[in-house]
Amino acid sequence: MSEWEKVFEQNVAVPPPPQRRRARRPGATAFRCVLKLLEGAALAQGAEYQLRLSLFDATYHHFFGRTWRSSWRAARAVPPHPARAAFNEVVYFHTSLNHPSITAVVEVVMMAGKGDGGSQHLSCGFGLIPLFSSSSEVTHLATEDRALKLYHGTPRALLHPRFQDPTEKNKYLTVMEKSHLQYSLKPHQPLETIFHLLPENFLISGLQAIPGLQPARGDTGDCLQKPRLMKPVTYYLERLSIRLYPSLEEFEEELLDLVNSDRLLQANAAPDGDGMAVRERRLHVGVHNGLRFVQAPQVAVLVPEAEVTRGGCPAAPGSRASAAGQTLVLRSRIHLSEMVPHPAFVVCFQLEYVFCSSGRAGGKPPPGCEAADPRSVRWAVWSPSTGEREVVLPLRGGACRGPCQTLVYHALPSSRQGKHVESGTVQFHVSTDSEEHLVTAAEILRKDRDESEKPPTPSLRKVQQPSGKQRREPACAMSQQGGDAGAAFLLVSELSVPPRGRGRSPVPCGRSFWQEGGITHLEADLSSLDPEPRAEDQLRALPFAPLQVPIAAVGLQAGSSHTLLSRASLARLHAAGFPEILDHNQEPVEISEPVDPASFSPRLEEADPLQGNEIILQFLAFGRDTWDGAEGTWPRTIFLTFQFYRFPPVTTPRLQLVSTDVRLAAGQAAPSQILVRVNKDGTLGTGPPGWQLKYMVDPAFLRPGEQRWFVRYLAEHSLQIDVWDGDSLLLVGSAAVRLEPLLRQGRAAVRTHHELEVATTEYDEPEVPVLAREALRHGALRPLGVRVAVRGRLHLCLANVGHPCEDIPGQLPSPLPSRSRVVPTPDSAGSVPAGSWLSPNAAGGGRVSRARRLVEVDGELAAVLHSRRPEARLAPPAVSGEAAAAHRRKLRRMALVRQQEDASGRTAALVSGWQEQRARRVRDLQIIDSYREHTKGESISRMLSQAITATHTVHAVLGTAEFFEFALKNPYGVQHTVTIEVDRAELSVILDPREWRHFKELTKSVTPVEEEMFHLRDDLKPQVYLRPKETVRIPFKYQTFSADPAVMVVQGPAALSTGADTATHSLGKSGAGRTTHIQVSFQVSGGKPIALLQVKVEPQPHVVDQTFRFYHPELTFLKKTIRLPPWHTLPGMPVGVPGGEPEMFVRCSDPDIICETKNMGPGEPQDIFLKVAGGPSPQIKKFFVAIYTDAWLAAPAQIWQFYLHSLQRLDVSCTAGQLARLSLLLRGTPAPRRVRAFTSHPQELEVDPDGAFLLPANGIQDLSVGVRPRRAGSRFIYLNLVDVESHQLVSSWLLCLSCRQPLISKTFEISLPAGGGRGCNKLITYTNPYPSPRLYFLCTNRPDLLQFKEDSFQVAGGEVYTIGLRFAPSQTVGEEEILIHINDHEDKNEETFCVKVLYQ
């Protein structure tokens, strides 16, 4: 970063209110403020204080300028005076806002300690220094010092609307007694000589260096008390040209299209045939010192090179350059007399295009084509300190802060050329007064005078009528008689004689002429500045969609799910024949009440002799809720999905609801139905009713110290259960139960009964046009769009049976150990390298090696040897017993046979056979010898690698960082730089000492932390320097955000289990996933390893805290904003975290999903933004989101599970109470299926055929759908096509209803008693308006409150018919609006009556 960029980025000022900028006066007043002494009874002895000075506009409640901060000074008490802090610091500034409401605000800040050893800045009070009197004159101040009274609180309170002007008389301000600030404020005229170097409202100390000023004389160091300017140097820029990519013609064509599109967008109009034309191309050139422009930038007119080559008759100013010359050139020379030899002084170039309307295509330009629209296109910065003479600079653009404070155009990728290689370049030649070839001053003045006497460039342009193809530029582009042209001539004439007098106040940048031209200046975002603006940076949008109204991350209410059952209900459950739960003594476990959460004691769990836990879940019955009477049919079969602790997800088999005559809960409208397992053939199981699941949690299969984590899981978490319709595969609802009753607290076994509310959570899409303004306003978002409805009640029995566990050798029953583990080097005592080394009870720990045959250790060699003797067989290993005796008998028989052969004269043949056998063995030995020579180097290398290899096992959990340290020793007697190479990205070296220290605090490690330990190479591989024989600890962190495939099993309609009535899961058998190995190499120069580390990763399932399900159209993006709950409500979060509310961070298990969150400030809610790409229907995408409360992402505070169901979308526009028919196209699968259509709202959606039908293979069939919505508005209805034989989901639709309210012709009112009763009967009349007889049908939006005497009637033409109504009683008090729809024979709405029923 150059010196100018440092000064430019570090000195950012907030502009004053826009109303002040428009009414700014030309003159400016300079001030010198001395802050001397802070004294008061409120000051603490020994505490450090700081003063901060800012400018404030009391009329518009706006802080502006730049806040100045003093150094920290300690308060000292000198009796009898109170504590005081001496500052004696001087602040300079100048402003032209001479209004009485402009004041200087002094804030007193104290450095206070925090509980964690850090420090924080606290605002102790503030004071107001008036700058101008009521007559807009400088406030008269005496020569002596003044005491400024201080107020309690923070100056940010001035932003409150109740603090009206005058501020000093406001009743909300409280004066700090016996406290004041001694200061002096005076005008400082010497500062006027450097107005061109120092921006307005810029508070600065005299000790700070300002580019362009010489250092102060003497020991004061205050360079602003008597400022001295540096000597300027004159620079000349000649032969300036600008090249735009890919070409000037393509660049301007694309620029005109974008400007025209922006014009139509701002006017909110459709394409009208008008176009935009380039009227003029300008170049602003000025000198900038990092704080401001030293003088107003000069303006020059650029022309295409093609016009210059044609000679003195250039084309119209707006004509595009041809292919001959693709550059913009400046035909004059730029004279810069304000340049100073300082590294922060640069020359700024800004390319500006002026546009105007070109009229309609094929027509003449409109008369008002003179209206100019200037737009900044590119800018560049050049520092003369480089010493170059021929300069080529890259042009910049886009959303990066520039010196001119204007919005700059950024070219988009061209459709013809792909991406632009560059944004463009500016090229020129530089010369100064000191060069030998420079002309004399007289020649310069004469040349300047000649150039000033010449007519300006636009005057040479003649009016040309468009010929050939229609051009974008206007024919009457510029004329000497035009008013705007005259203004342009004035600007060009000023270029030759720029203002050089330093006594005059130059035109400030904010009041330069291009602001008057209508261009909108950039309001810089002071919170996020690009440190290195580049030409390739495009304007980036915010990571959150502002119109995404967040939904609340509401969990199911598990605490209120427990219902006390009467003894009669318990007796009925016992009589149903559910399996008995027995303890470890085979005695029945009685039902008990849950333990009070306040009486939970972790010590009782740790001291329990029965450390083994057998968790039993019994699903008994499922009952319908009273509310659900009007919302669809009750399922015939159900199945459940859930996940307990780290065990794999569970999907139960289908369970049929068998009706009984008992009511399990008092006041329940419908009796609960017993759950009975359904076999594969559809028959009911013969076993006991219900479904039981057992989890064996034995410390023998848990990780060291995990027993305490499991107890904490039971105490703080809930189990979420999803209930599905077994036939339609639609979600019935979800329930949650707290697991705290499973804590035994020293008892042998516990058993509790729960009645859970099964509820559905629907996420509605809010109306964006209604909420657009509120959603865009900061802080106005509320957790909308969540509706919870209770569907039924699930009866569940929880039990925990304790079991004694055997002692595990080598494991101590200590509390939760540290996750940190120092991995020793392989040469440490007691370590056993990998390979064939053994240590069978050797005294003193010596190693014993047993030699083995090469044939036994290498299968390839054995295959080569035995392939040469096909009749040979591999010798079996030595055996004992009968097999050995039989082998000896065969050998004796073979010896007898050979003796008989010798006796019969076959000795010669036998000798020949022995010779062949010997030759064969010689060849085998040669093969073995060759093989040994071939593999000797590889074997030695492998054994040496095993000797320096250490192994460490990591039990990886999603999102949790596993931290350990490796003890690396330099075995050589010389120093080495060791490079660390890791072959997997999940395992990394902790380079930041703060992160290293954070993990050591979490794991209670006592090893030291070394600052700046590692050095990164160019390939980002860390290196560490080791002295001879030195040992250091290398910190490693393993963390993965990818879920194990065993955990990614989709729960729900995708797969159904067909297990037995009772399933048993053990954490040791099914808890681990696939094991992976990671190799870490520690290499010195030349790539020689000095140590190897092999990390064995064993994935473990994780705990799921909350589950979300979203239904979304297929092949589209789901965009959701979920509001995070307050951090103190998360389970396991400590109370009273130092530093206030912690910031939350999120990570997603799927890298293709955008998951982001942003802290909006203290006290503001925090949201998670999700953007998920949906797949084809009926695909279900599953992913996890980990939520952290620490910046180093050590362990997630919660893990959320998300399901995205992709459905085929169908938009339906209809009227309430009227039948709308449509057709769905069904495509067959490769095999024929027997399918049936199910809907989530059968009372409002009917299908034809409504039963099971055959879907032919690869065929097409229509499904007729009729929609009759009961209420107006937007809503979703789900439609599933299910294979009735295999119970698989074939296809799924999402019907998006947009329902209108019908026209109500009559309204009636009636009052009825609430709280039961017999209801009442009423009559209304209807007249047939047609002359012929008609058949009418009746329907209502509330069939639970209104029934008709007849659902249809026929009436003659013009006759009156009496409709009989019966109103059912209501249990609640209030007003209900019931609609009566009268439809014709085609089910079209003829008339709608409204009956307002008041239940009293």
Side-chain angles (χ1 to χ4, degrees), residues 995-1057:
E995 183 180 5
W996 190 2
R997 191 175 295 108
H998 175 74
F999 278 101
K1000 293 180 75 66
E1001 292 176 357
L1002 290 180
T1003 56
K1004 304 297 186 296
S1005 300
V1006 294
T1007 54
V1009 176
E1010 185 176 346
E1011 300 286 342
E1012 298 182 0
M1013 181 176 178
F1014 300 99
H1015 165 69
L1016 290 180
R1017 297 195 320 184
D1018 296 337
D1019 54 359
L1020 300 182
K1021 292 181 180 179
Q1023 291 182 332
V1024 60
Y1025 175 80
L1026 291 182
R1027 301 180 181 90
K1029 302 296 182 179
E1030 183 185 14
T1031 301
V1032 296
R1033 290 176 174 85
I1034 309 297
F1036 284 94
K1037 178 185 69 173
Y1038 179 85
Q1039 189 172 28
T1040 179
F1041 297 101
S1042 300
D1044 189 70
V1047 184
M1048 294 301 293
V1049 178
V1050 176
Q1051 292 179 317
L1056 292 180
S1057 172

Side-chain angles (χ1 to χ4, degrees), residues 12-15 400-402 405 407 521-529:
V12 181
V14 178
C400 55
R401 181 170 172 261
Q405 300 294 318
L407 290 172
H521 282 254
L522 171 67
E523 295 295 336
D525 185 5
L526 304 181
S527 61
S528 58
L529 294 176

Side-chain angles (χ1 to χ4, degrees), residues 886-921:
H887 182 65
R888 288 192 296 269
R889 286 196 301 270
K890 292 179 179 180
L891 291 178
R892 287 195 298 267
R893 292 173 183 173
M894 181 60 66
L896 292 175
V897 171
R898 290 176 178 174
Q899 291 176 2
Q900 293 177 2
E901 290 179 352
D902 290 340
S904 58
R906 299 181 179 177
T907 305
L910 186 60
V911 172
S912 176
W914 279 105
Q915 292 178 351
E916 293 179 1
Q917 184 179 4
R918 181 181 179 184
R920 190 183 304 115
R921 290 185 176 179

Side-chain angles (χ1 to χ4, degrees), residues 688-1002:
W691 192 75
Q692 180 173 301
L693 181 66
K694 295 182 180 180
Y695 291 99
M696 302 299 298
V697 184
D698 195 332
F701 298 108
L702 297 179
R703 292 180 290 176
E706 192 181 357
Q707 181 73 11
R708 177 177 293 185
W709 289 105
F710 177 71
V711 172
R712 185 183 302 177
Y713 168 77
L714 295 181
E716 298 176 351
H717 287 77
S718 302
L719 178 66
Q720 181 167 336
I721 305 170
D722 293 332
V723 183
W724 301 81
D725 191 326
D727 297 327
S728 66
L729 305 184
L730 292 169
L731 181 65
V732 178
S734 301
V737 57
R738 293 193 61 86
L739 299 175
E740 194 170 8
L742 291 175
L743 296 172
R744 291 184 286 107
Q745 293 289 279
R747 292 172 289 182
V750 291
R751 178 185 177 189
T752 55
H753 184 276
H754 302 266
E755 184 182 15
L756 310 178
E757 292 182 349
V758 179
T760 57
T761 304
E762 297 184 3
Y763 306 101
D764 296 336
E765 294 292 341
E767 296 293 336
V768 174
V770 178
L771 297 174
R773 294 183 179 271
E774 292 297 321
L776 287 173
R777 184 167 57 88
H778 175 67
L781 300 182
R782 293 180 295 144
L784 305 176
V786 179
R787 187 174 69 252
V788 179
V790 180
R791 294 295 308 274
R793 298 181 181 273
L794 177 66
H795 291 265
L796 171 66
C797 182
L798 297 179
N800 184 1
V801 178
H803 291 278
C805 59
E806 299 179 357
D807 294 336
I808 303 175
Q811 180 175 348
L812 299 178
S814 59
L816 181 63
S818 170
R819 287 182 300 178
S820 173
R821 186 176 180 183
V822 178
V823 182
T825 53
D827 58 348
S828 301
S831 60
V832 180
S836 61
W837 291 93
L838 304 175
S839 56
N841 301 326
R847 298 180 179 177
V848 179
S849 179
R850 179 178 60 87
R852 301 172 62 184
R853 299 174 58 189
L854 288 176
V855 180
E856 297 177 3
V857 299
D858 194 284
E860 182 181 0
L861 176 61
V864 172
L865 294 178
H866 293 294
S867 64
R868 300 181 57 85
R869 293 180 291 176
E871 72 282 357
R873 295 293 183 265
L874 185 63
V879 294
S880 59
E882 298 180 357
H887 182 65
R888 288 192 296 269
R889 286 196 301 270
K890 292 179 179 180
L891 291 178
R892 287 195 298 267
R893 292 173 183 173
M894 181 60 66
L896 292 175
V897 171
R898 290 176 178 174
Q899 291 176 2
Q900 293 177 2
E901 290 179 352
D902 290 340
S904 58
R906 299 181 179 177
T907 305
L910 186 60
V911 172
S912 176
W914 279 105
Q915 292 178 351
E916 293 179 1
Q917 184 179 4
R918 181 181 179 184
R920 190 183 304 115
R921 290 185 176 179
V922 170
R923 288 194 298 269
D924 291 344
L925 290 176
Q926 292 176 354
I927 293 176
I928 293 175
D929 186 64
S930 176
Y931 174 79
R932 292 180 61 185
E933 292 295 332
H934 179 69
T935 60
K936 181 183 297 184
E938 181 182 353
S939 300
I940 294 175
S941 176
R942 182 172 62 253
M943 294 302 297
L944 292 178
S945 298
Q946 292 173 356
I948 62 173
T949 299
T951 304
H952 179 64
T953 302
V954 171
H955 301 278
V957 181
L958 175 69
T960 302
E962 297 292 337
F963 167 73
F964 64 92
E965 295 176 335
F966 177 74
L968 177 63
K969 180 180 180 181
N970 182 11
Y972 302 103
V974 295
Q975 65 274 11
H976 276 290
T977 300
V978 182
T979 304
I980 306 174
E981 293 187 359
V982 186
D983 58 358
R984 291 285 295 273
E986 291 84 359
L987 182 64
S988 60
V989 180
I990 299 179
L991 305 177
D992 196 329
R994 297 173 299 173
E995 183 180 5
W996 190 2
R997 191 175 295 108
H998 175 74
F999 278 101
K1000 293 180 75 66
E1001 292 176 357
L1002 290 180

